[in-house]
Amino acid sequence: EAAVTQSPRNKVTVTGGNVTLSCRQTNSHNYMYWYRQDTGHGLRLIHYSYGAGNLQIGDVPDGYKATRTTQEDFFLLLELASPSQTSLYFCASSHWDTQYFGPGTRLLVL
Amino acid sequence: GQQVQQSPASLVLQEGENAELQCNFSTSLNSMQWFYQRPGGSLVSLFYNPSGTKHSGRLTSTTVIKERRSSLHISSSQTTDSGTYLCALERLQQGTGSKLSFGKGAKLTVSP
C-alpha cells in the first residue's frame, strides 16, 4: 500500500505567522494533493500537482501556496496565517485512480 | 453549489444491522470513490467505482451513472465499523488531471 507521511502532525502558530506543512510519498505517484477538513464542509481541495515543478489550483486556494520540489515531496505554505486556516490538513497521492491519504496535520492559528 | 450530496449525515445502528449510505451527484464524473475515516482522523480507501457494483467483504458499492447516485452498503455491522464514511466524485480534466469533490460525510455509530 502507498505510504504517505506528513509533518508536523500538530502545529500551533499565531496570526500572521509563517507555516510550512510537509508531505512525502514513497511510491512514485504522479499526483499529490493538499486538502483541508472542517466541520460542516468535508474535505476541500486546496492545491494539487501532477509532477515535480507542476502546481494546479484547487477549490479553496486563497491564502495558500504550494510547491512540488520532487516526485516525492509536496509542501503547503501559509505565509500569513489567519484563524480561519485552523483546520485538519491532509495530503494524498495517487497514480491514476485511488488516492492514498497521509495521517493529517492539525493546525491551530491563534 | 455542492456537487456531491451525501445522506444520511449520521446513523446509529445496533451491531448486526445493515447500513445504506447514499451519495447523489449533480455533475458528470469519471468515478465515485468511497473512503472510511477512522475516529482518529486518517482516511482509508474502500472503493474506486466508476460504475456498477463492487464487493469487498461485508461492503458493497454501487454506482449508477444515469441516476447520478452511488451507494455504500454495510452488512452485519460491527462496532469496529464506527467512524465516518465519505464519498468523493472524481473528475478528470484534460491538462489538469484528476480532482476529487467530497461529500460532507456520514457518521456511523454501531452499538454492541
Side-chain angles (χ1 to χ4, degrees), chain A residues 33 37 40 48 50 56 90 98, chain B residues 37 41 45 95-96 98-99 104:
Chain A
Y33 306 82
Q37 186 176 31
Y48 66 109
Y50 56 76
Q56 301 294 325
F90 286 102
T98 302
Chain B
Q37 186 169 25
S45 175
T96 59
S98 168
K99 293 173 63 173
K104 293 184 179 182

Side-chain angles (χ1 to χ4, degrees), chain B residues 14-110:
Chain B
Q14 291 288 320
E15 200 166 27
E17 292 181 324
N18 299 331
E20 184 87 8
L21 309 177
Q22 294 281 347
C23 276
N24 294 89
F25 46 93
S26 58
T27 186
S28 60
L29 83 168
N30 186 64
S31 183
M32 185 64 80
Q33 299 189 32
W34 284 91
F35 295 87
Y36 167 68
Q37 186 169 25
R38 300 186 177 102
S42 60
L43 282 89
V44 176
S45 175
L46 298 175
F47 290 103
Y48 179 88
N49 189 355
S51 67
T53 298
K54 294 193 172 185
H55 301 277
S56 178
R58 296 181 292 105
L59 305 180
T60 301
S61 167
T62 300
T63 298
V64 184
I65 299 290
K66 284 186 181 179
E67 297 178 13
R68 300 200 170 212
R69 63 175 176 86
S70 181
S71 64
L72 178 69
H73 183 85
I74 305 172
S75 63
S76 303
S77 63
Q78 300 174 0
T79 56
T80 52
D81 294 331
S82 295
T84 301
Y85 292 82
L86 297 137
C87 64
L89 181 155
E90 181 194 35
R91 293 163 290 158
L92 277 180
Q93 297 177 303
Q94 194 162 7
T96 59
S98 168
K99 293 173 63 173
L100 291 182
S101 295
F102 281 82
K104 293 184 179 182
K107 184 176 181 180
L108 175 64
T109 303
V110 182

Side-chain angles (χ1 to χ4, degrees), chain A:
Chain A
E1 185 165 318
V4 182
T5 56
Q6 293 182 235
S7 63
R9 296 293 313 278
N10 294 279
K11 176 74 177 178
V12 180
T13 190
V14 296
T15 299
N18 203 321
V19 176
T20 298
L21 306 184
S22 302
C23 177
R24 167 164 282 204
Q25 55 96 3
T26 58
N27 285 274
S28 300
H29 284 166
N30 295 326
Y31 290 95
M32 295 186 75
Y33 306 82
W34 278 108
Y35 295 91
R36 60 178 290 174
Q37 186 176 31
D38 306 286
T39 303
H41 289 282
L43 273 88
R44 293 179 290 174
L45 180 64
I46 304 170
H47 291 299
Y48 66 109
S49 165
Y50 56 76
N54 176 265
L55 180 65
Q56 301 294 325
I57 306 299
D59 299 321
V60 289
D62 292 347
Y64 302 96
K65 293 184 179 179
T67 180
R68 180 92 175 266
T69 54
T70 66
Q71 183 80 352
E72 295 78 21
D73 297 303
F74 194 31
F75 299 93
L76 186 68
L77 297 83
L78 293 72
E79 293 184 331
L80 286 171
S82 72
S84 65
Q85 293 176 307
T86 292
S87 188
L88 177 58
Y89 290 87
F90 286 102
C91 175
S93 73
S94 71
H95 186 54
W96 287 114
D97 43 37
T98 302
Q99 290 196 13
Y100 296 92
F101 281 77
T105 295
R106 290 191 181 275
L107 175 66
L108 174 61
V109 184
L110 299 173

